[in-house]
Amino acid sequence: MFKFGQHLITQSCVFWESKLCYAFVNIRPVLPGHVLVSPKRAEPFFTGLLGEESAELFTGAQMISKALKSHYQTSSLTVVIQDGEHAGQSVPHVHVHLLPRQEGDFTNNDDIYQEIERVDSHRREERSLEDMEREAALYRRLVAHHAH
């Protein structure tokens, strides 16, 4: 079990883990494949991360991005960090949003940022634990395949 701000993330929803970071499926994804990568240490601000945490966070995000791009057959991915309340951060714990993109998924490409904020404000229904566990199991296999 991981503490993510005010939330508890069950191990069954985690699909990648390193010494200092982990990745998990999103309870309210904006698009298929929308996942989160976070340090294990509860740090609210990106600038508060230790160098080793930043390195693992982005190494993990890069490797997971490759797996997601391959699985969703896309060449594009949105990578977002909302660093602080005024940047739209709803959980006071650093996290990177990874969102595989498809042509035309948003009429105006930048509308994705408003949708992330809308979802973060809990205006979207939560998925079931079973659905998230199935997705995490799939991503575990994908990431294991792309890690080598």
Side-chain angles (χ1 to χ4, degrees), residues 30 80 82 97 99 112-120:
V30 170
V80 177
Q82 296 161 297
H97 292 260
L99 300 100
I112 193 165
Y113 303 110
Q114 289 177 325
E115 187 63 14
I116 291 170
E117 192 168 332
R118 187 180 79 75
V119 167
D120 282 351

Side-chain angles (χ1 to χ4, degrees), residues 27-59:
I27 195 164
R28 293 183 190 91
V30 170
L31 293 168
H34 178 187
V35 300
L36 303 172
V37 185
S38 181
K40 291 178 180 177
R41 183 173 67 90
E43 170 55 49
F45 297 103
F46 178 67
T47 53
L49 291 180
L50 303 173
E52 191 178 8
E53 289 171 316
S54 294
E56 280 191 23
L57 185 71
F58 281 100
T59 299

Side-chain angles (χ1 to χ4, degrees), residues 20-135:
L20 301 173
C21 298
Y22 65 106
F24 55 102
V25 297
N26 197 327
I27 195 164
R28 293 183 190 91
V30 170
L31 293 168
H34 178 187
V35 300
L36 303 172
V37 185
S38 181
K40 291 178 180 177
R41 183 173 67 90
E43 170 55 49
F45 297 103
F46 178 67
T47 53
L49 291 180
L50 303 173
E52 191 178 8
E53 289 171 316
S54 294
E56 280 191 23
L57 185 71
F58 281 100
T59 299
Q62 183 181 44
M63 187 256 311
I64 293 162
S65 294
K66 289 177 185 175
L68 292 172
K69 286 169 96 173
S70 173
H71 179 71
Y72 288 99
Q73 300 179 333
T74 184
S75 62
S76 301
L77 192 106
T78 294
V79 179
V80 177
I81 295 178
Q82 296 161 297
D83 194 31
E85 179 184 358
H86 302 298
Q89 183 184 36
S90 62
V91 177
H93 189 140
V94 174
H95 56 287
V96 178
H97 292 260
L98 300 176
L99 300 100
R101 300 294 303 273
Q102 301 292 336
E103 185 176 353
D105 54 12
F106 284 89
T107 305
N108 176 5
N109 202 33
D110 284 345
D111 286 349
I112 193 165
Y113 303 110
Q114 289 177 325
E115 187 63 14
I116 291 170
E117 192 168 332
R118 187 180 79 75
V119 167
D120 282 351
S121 66
H122 305 288
R123 287 182 250 163
R124 176 179 247 144
E125 191 174 315
E126 292 182 359
R127 298 189 302 158
S128 70
L129 178 60
E130 294 77 23
D131 185 38
M132 294 189 313
E133 288 173 335
R134 271 192 302 276
E135 184 179 29

